[in-house]
Amino acid sequence: MTCLQVDAQINKDSLRHNIRLASTDSLRIQALYAYMKATLNDNTSDFEPYLREMVRLSKKTVSKWGLSTAYILSLSYYKNIGNYETALRYGDSAAALLSRDTASGLLLNRGHLYNNRGNLYYSIGDFRKALDDYFQAERIFKQQRFKTIASVYSSIANCFTELSNDQKATEFSDRAVEAAMQFDDPRLLATCLMNKATMLMNIDRYAAADSILSIVWPVVQQLRNTKSLFVYYLNKGDVTAYYQKDSLKALTYYKQSYAYASENHDVSQIAKALVSLAQLKTDMKQADAVTYIDSLYRLADENGMSSLKADALGLYAQWNAQRGDYKKAYAYEREQKALSDSLNSEESRQKISMLEVRFRIENKEQEIAKLKTQDTINRLSIRQKSTLNSILIGGSIGLVIILALLYRNYRNRQKLQLQRITELETEKQLTATEAVLKGEEQERTRLAKDLHDGLGGMLSGMKHAFQAMKEHLIMTPENQLAFERSMDMLDCSIKEMRRVAHNMMPESLVKFGLDTALRDFCNGIQQSGALHLVYQSIGMEQAPAGQTTAVAVYRIVQELIHNVLKHAAASNALVQLSYAEGALSVTVEDNGRGMDIVQRLHAGGMGWQNIQNRVDFLKGTLDIQSQPGRGLSVFIEIPAENQ
């Protein structure tokens, strides 16, 4: 491991240590943000627990900055790993949270949201939506005089390049450079200049790109920043190879770019440099070209970079064809084509999936139809290319490819059918659970009413009759004492009957709603002296919770508090009910003995099973945090559509 790798690892360990040392929820949110900001581009699966923890703590402390920042980080993370649908959901959550807030920190967060969501749309090729978000980000960053505006202008220029609007691409590249010059940041200026050079090469203006590189070289040389040097030498190699037609000199530049990428330990940079080196050496028919192709293939395979793997396969085919080994060349070409077709199909599937999510949010039917039409065109184009290639190769090979495609489609249909069956089974289970829970509550309500109206009325009538008899009877002192004791016992029976009836279906829950019922319940526990129980409610005056949801949440809290009283040996507990961004959240915490969560859940107790069934019925999420001796924290979130 090099010194740079060691330093990076030490920094990450230090940031994780800061999270553990945080003494308050607010400090822990800041520590989580610092760690995730430093490791966002690592794209590792252990990033997700930190995101969930930041969301949980931000909701608990009602930190709008923390929650919106966590949503924006989630958008970037899921975009980086290709899960565009989840990324879009987090983007929409952040947009709803920040929609009408003008505080400076939150306004900058809104700018970061638009910028990152624009990057998401750019990644899937929806350049017009990307432009909409980039222009929103530009307006905010310009107002706040925030230097990220230069990067936003570069992104806008890239979109116009993809849309073949060279004039606008050039205009916004110039704006990016002008914006960067307003800040004392040489690296930002160098980045914007080199982005402009890349844009000019994309529209075949190599002479202008070469001039830009000549201007930026003194800045890059003075910075001695390895990432900036990597970009410079890569662009310089492109200009030298494809404009000046000096392949040997271009190789020198590409090798320098590759060396700086390796020093940065940046997989994406290494891959770009290897593609340029391998392609140029193959075009020059140099014998060692295959060494660079091998390195590119291994890098792509180890890091799951499928598009680069397809590039490597294409280079293998070209190299073997140059050597006269047409059999191997043909095999590599077939493998490349299969991988490219798979990538195109997956990209189209992700685009459709993402647009369907947007449709459910915004009802944009025309956009879905347009994208599905484009997907159909793409599929037809792929099929047409397959047919042409099959004709060139021969009828027998074409038959094999067609059979393979049919088999693949058959397998895909089977997978879709199995998925649909699983969804139906889940829906059936939820329906059954709903019926059981509703039946249980109806029976509780009936019994409570019978006890209160029937037995309660009878007992009250008996008490009234005994009191009337007492007025007309002459009793000895002993009989008088026995009569009074009987009357006290009758009073206790009436109170106990009313307590049982109230437990089965609290009157306050029916008349005044969930918030009042839970407050009464917690106050009753507090007044009994069995536990110091604090109840808090946030935003519940806006909550639209229906009777079914209210009863289910009440039973969940009731079960959790009874567990605390029976098992936790706790002295203090907290019940918090909050409603924000259309979601109902329930938090129950205690300072008791805690528990081993895995062991307790595997034990299969009825209490936890009932809680889980009610959460599943509400299509909510259940998060339990506890360790033996450290208390218990239960967090439940119920989405708006299930309230």
Side-chain angles (χ1 to χ4, degrees), residues 25-26 29 32 51-68 70-71 90 93 97 536-539 574 576-587 589 621 623 635-640 643:
D25 288 341
S26 296
I29 289 171
L32 285 165
L51 284 172
R52 288 196 294 270
E53 178 68 0
M54 189 169 178
V55 169
R56 186 184 74 83
L57 288 176
S58 298
K59 288 184 176 180
K60 179 182 175 183
T61 58
V62 197
S63 170
K64 188 177 268 192
W65 178 88
L67 188 58
S68 61
Y71 285 158
Y90 277 108
S93 296
L97 186 62
Q536 298 175 350
S537 66
I538 303 170
L574 166 71
Q576 185 183 80
L577 191 67
S578 64
Y579 180 80
E581 295 93 49
L584 183 66
S585 302
V586 182
T587 302
E589 296 181 347
T621 57
D623 180 28
F635 178 75
I636 299 167
E637 185 175 60
I638 301 165
Q643 295 174 26

Side-chain angles (χ1 to χ4, degrees), residues 67-82:
L67 188 58
S68 61
T69 300
Y71 285 158
I72 294 167
L73 287 169
S74 300
L75 161 64
S76 297
Y77 169 72
Y78 286 109
K79 187 267 294 183
N80 288 346
I81 65 172

Side-chain angles (χ1 to χ4, degrees), residues 348-349 352 371-380:
S348 295
R349 187 199 66 77
I352 292 173
L371 188 56
K372 287 187 175 179
T373 302
Q374 185 62 44
D375 178 63
T376 303
I377 293 171
N378 290 341
R379 290 178 181 274
L380 290 173

Side-chain angles (χ1 to χ4, degrees), residues 54-178:
M54 189 169 178
V55 169
R56 186 184 74 83
L57 288 176
S58 298
K59 288 184 176 180
K60 179 182 175 183
T61 58
V62 197
S63 170
K64 188 177 268 192
W65 178 88
L67 188 58
S68 61
T69 300
Y71 285 158
I72 294 167
L73 287 169
S74 300
L75 161 64
S76 297
Y77 169 72
Y78 286 109
K79 187 267 294 183
N80 288 346
I81 65 172
N83 190 343
Y84 299 131
E85 181 174 344
T86 302
L88 181 61
R89 288 184 185 277
Y90 277 108
D92 288 337
S93 296
L97 186 62
L98 298 168
S99 59
R100 283 184 288 273
D101 209 309
T102 57
S104 179
L106 295 179
L107 191 61
L108 277 178
N109 262 15
R110 201 190 307 174
H112 291 308
L113 162 65
Y114 290 132
N115 189 29
N116 283 281
R117 195 168 64 181
N119 294 338
L120 167 62
Y121 284 125
Y122 185 90
S123 297
I124 64 166
D126 195 340
F127 304 115
R128 298 195 180 278
K129 276 189 172 295
L131 281 173
D132 288 342
D133 275 347
Y134 285 143
F135 280 120
Q136 293 271 31
E138 182 260 351
R139 179 179 57 81
I140 293 172
F141 290 144
K142 187 175 182 180
Q143 176 186 342
Q144 297 288 306
R145 291 191 55 78
F146 196 65
K147 66 181 182 181
T148 305
I149 190 172
S151 300
V152 173
Y153 283 139
S154 290
S155 298
I156 293 173
N158 292 337
C159 283
F160 280 121
T161 299
E162 296 292 344
L163 293 170
S164 301
N165 191 332
D166 299 346
Q167 181 181 351
K168 285 290 185 182
T170 304
E171 175 189 338
F172 280 95
S173 287
D174 291 339
R175 284 199 195 182
V177 174
E178 291 171 5

